[in-house]
């Protein structure tokens, strides 16, 4: 590993390279906060992919790409004289020190859970901090991650189940409500078809919205269950996504070996290949 002096020198080199690019490269010179934003999102997701796969070589590479964007935004901020990289570092250090009184102050916290209990209260005491517990959750977060974060933040101020297993009663309740709404929707659809009424009927639309709401409630309760059992739902779902992609790819490859299109396979044939893929993964 490198010494602190070597690390500081490398960061200084990065700042020098950024200065050169901003001055001499037509593409870099043209960039703004808004043109960089989509690339920042993409680079962040690429880092997330590497982290999920524990691909340490690519974690290092993708961290560099994300760091480039941090330095780039700071460079733009210095050009408008709003802030520079020192301000970014200073604000971050001040925030970390303020939020860790058990490290930099005289408070005590022996466990991670004890730290989390105080976290939201500390954030609301900050200058320009969040005015409410949930106001710090970005509106543009993907819905699954947002659900986890709002539940986590609410739990940090005491709004939570007393025992994790209690959440399953809520999951069953939400499932029953969704099932009842879907049954009602099915009955209404059949009644409309018998009466020759278009399914664009406003009552049918309202019932579909209620079913959607109940589905959302069920998902929300399952995310809550994951949180309580220390399972990150976004990570869990992405692992399942990747598993499905692998197995479906196997089915598709088998169809090609048979000289067929996927649509030409029977459901039984697809299931057989799917089970083969599962068995290979177990081995």
């Amino acid at each position: 590993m490198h010494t602190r002096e070597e690390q500081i020198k490398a960061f200084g080199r990065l700042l020098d390279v950024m200065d050169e690019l901003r001055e001499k490269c037509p593409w870099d010179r043209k960039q703004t906060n808004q043109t960089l934003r989509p690339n920042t999102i993409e680079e962040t997701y690429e880092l997330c992919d590497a982290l999920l796969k524990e691909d340490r070589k690519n974690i290092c590479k993708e961290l560099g790409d994300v760091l480039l964007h941090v330095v780039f935004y700071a460079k733009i901020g210095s050009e408008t004289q709003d802030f520079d990289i020192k301000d970014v570092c200073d604000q971050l250090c001040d925030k970390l020190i303020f939020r860790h009184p058990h490290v930099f102050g005289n408070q005590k916290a022996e466990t991670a859970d004890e730290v989390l209990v105080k976290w939201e209260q500390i954030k609301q005491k900050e200058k320009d901090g969040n005015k409410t517990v949930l106001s710090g959750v970005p509106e543009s977060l993907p819905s699954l991650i947002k659900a986890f974060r709002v539940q986590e933040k609410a739990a940090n101020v005491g709004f939570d189940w007393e025992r994790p297993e209690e959440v399953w009663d809520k999951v069953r309740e939400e499932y029953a409500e969704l099932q009842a709404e879907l049954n009602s929707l099915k009955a209404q659809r059949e009644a409309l078809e018998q009466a020759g009424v278009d399914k664009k009927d406003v009552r049918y639309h309202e019932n579909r919205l209620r079913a959607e709401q109940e589905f959302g409630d069920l998902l929300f309760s399952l995310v809550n269950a994951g949180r309580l059992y220390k399972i990150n739902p976004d990570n869990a779902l992405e692992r399942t996504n990747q598993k499905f992609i692998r197995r479906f790819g196997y089915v598709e490859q088998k169809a090609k070996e048979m000289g067929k299109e996927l649509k030409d396979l029977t459901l039984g044939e697809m299931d057989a290949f799917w089970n083969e893929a599962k068995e290979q993964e177990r081995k």
Side-chain angles (χ1 to χ4, degrees):
M1 291 279 76
H2 299 94
T3 65
R4 179 55 57 90
E5 289 75 17
E6 289 172 327
Q7 293 169 2
I8 293 172
K9 182 178 179 181
F11 189 69
R13 181 187 177 211
L14 172 60
L15 297 180
D16 290 341
V17 169
M18 184 73 254
D19 289 343
E20 288 281 306
L21 292 174
R22 188 66 170 168
E23 179 183 350
K24 298 178 181 178
C25 174
W27 186 90
D28 288 280
R29 191 165 55 237
K30 185 180 178 182
Q31 300 312 302
T32 66
N33 286 338
Q34 297 309 314
T35 60
L36 282 175
R37 179 179 171 275
N39 292 339
T40 305
I41 294 171
E42 181 179 345
E43 296 296 354
T44 303
Y45 275 110
E46 289 179 357
L47 172 59
C48 289
D49 285 345
L51 291 168
L52 194 62
K53 297 172 183 175
E54 286 291 348
D55 184 346
R56 299 189 181 185
K57 180 179 178 181
N58 271 322
I59 288 173
C60 180
K61 171 183 173 295
E62 300 302 342
L63 279 172
D65 291 342
V66 172
L67 179 58
L68 168 62
H69 282 248
V70 173
V71 170
F72 212 143
Y73 289 120
K75 178 64 178 176
I76 294 172
S78 70
E79 293 168 352
T80 59
Q81 298 189 343
D82 292 313
F83 60 87
D84 61 18
I85 194 65
K86 180 182 183 301
D87 297 308
V88 174
C89 293
D90 285 344
Q91 284 197 26
L92 175 58
C93 289
D94 291 344
K95 179 169 65 176
L96 290 174
I97 292 169
F98 185 79
R99 291 186 184 179
H100 292 79
H102 52 288
V103 176
F104 300 101
N106 54 14
Q107 293 189 21
K108 300 294 183 183
E110 302 297 333
T111 68
D113 287 340
E114 289 179 42
V115 174
L116 289 175
V117 167
K118 299 178 181 179
W119 189 258
E120 295 301 332
Q121 295 94 322
I122 292 174
K123 287 174 68 174
Q124 290 185 50
K125 292 177 182 177
E126 289 176 339
K127 180 183 178 182
D128 300 323
N130 300 331
K131 304 305 179 186
T132 66
V133 172
L134 301 182
S135 62
V137 179
E139 292 185 6
S140 58
L141 267 184
S143 298
L144 188 68
I145 300 174
K146 185 187 290 185
F148 185 82
R149 289 296 290 135
V150 298
Q151 292 169 3
E152 192 175 48
K153 284 177 173 288
N156 287 343
V157 294
F159 191 69
D160 203 2
W161 303 97
E162 291 185 359
R163 293 177 292 115
E165 56 268 24
E166 292 175 346
V167 74
W168 297 113
D169 289 335
K170 186 62 175 175
V171 171
R172 284 187 283 269
E173 174 190 326
E174 297 297 354
Y175 176 77
E177 291 178 0
L178 172 61
Q179 192 65 55
E181 202 61 55
L182 291 174
N183 289 339
S184 174
L185 190 65
K186 179 182 177 182
Q188 186 187 35
R189 182 176 66 247
E190 291 173 350
L192 290 173
E193 289 173 351
Q194 289 178 2
V197 178
D198 195 316
K199 281 191 293 187
K200 292 180 181 178
D201 181 270
V202 65
R203 293 164 298 175
Y204 184 77
H205 178 68
E206 290 172 353
N207 282 356
R208 282 191 62 84
L209 287 178
R210 283 198 296 272
E212 183 180 279
Q213 290 169 2
E214 295 298 345
F215 190 82
D217 291 346
L218 176 59
L219 282 177
F220 194 84
S221 65
L222 285 170
V223 170
N224 223 346
R227 177 185 62 81
L228 287 163
Y229 284 89
K230 311 300 183 185
I231 297 171
N232 184 293
D234 188 63
N235 290 348
L237 182 58
E238 180 54 25
R239 291 185 191 281
T240 298
N241 288 340
Q242 293 302 321
K243 180 169 61 178
F244 183 91
I245 290 169
R246 286 195 308 272
R247 293 178 181 176
F248 195 79
Y250 181 87
V251 175
E252 191 170 16
Q253 180 60 37
K254 284 296 184 179
K256 289 180 180 177
E257 291 174 5
M258 295 173 65
K260 293 184 176 182
E261 297 289 332
L262 269 175
K263 61 182 178 61
D264 297 326
L265 295 181
T266 66
L267 184 57
E269 288 174 321
M270 289 191 201
D271 281 341
F273 290 141
W274 182 271
N275 290 329
E276 282 182 19
K278 288 175 63 176
E279 187 61 30
Q280 287 190 8
E281 287 180 3
R282 291 193 186 98
K283 293 178 180 178

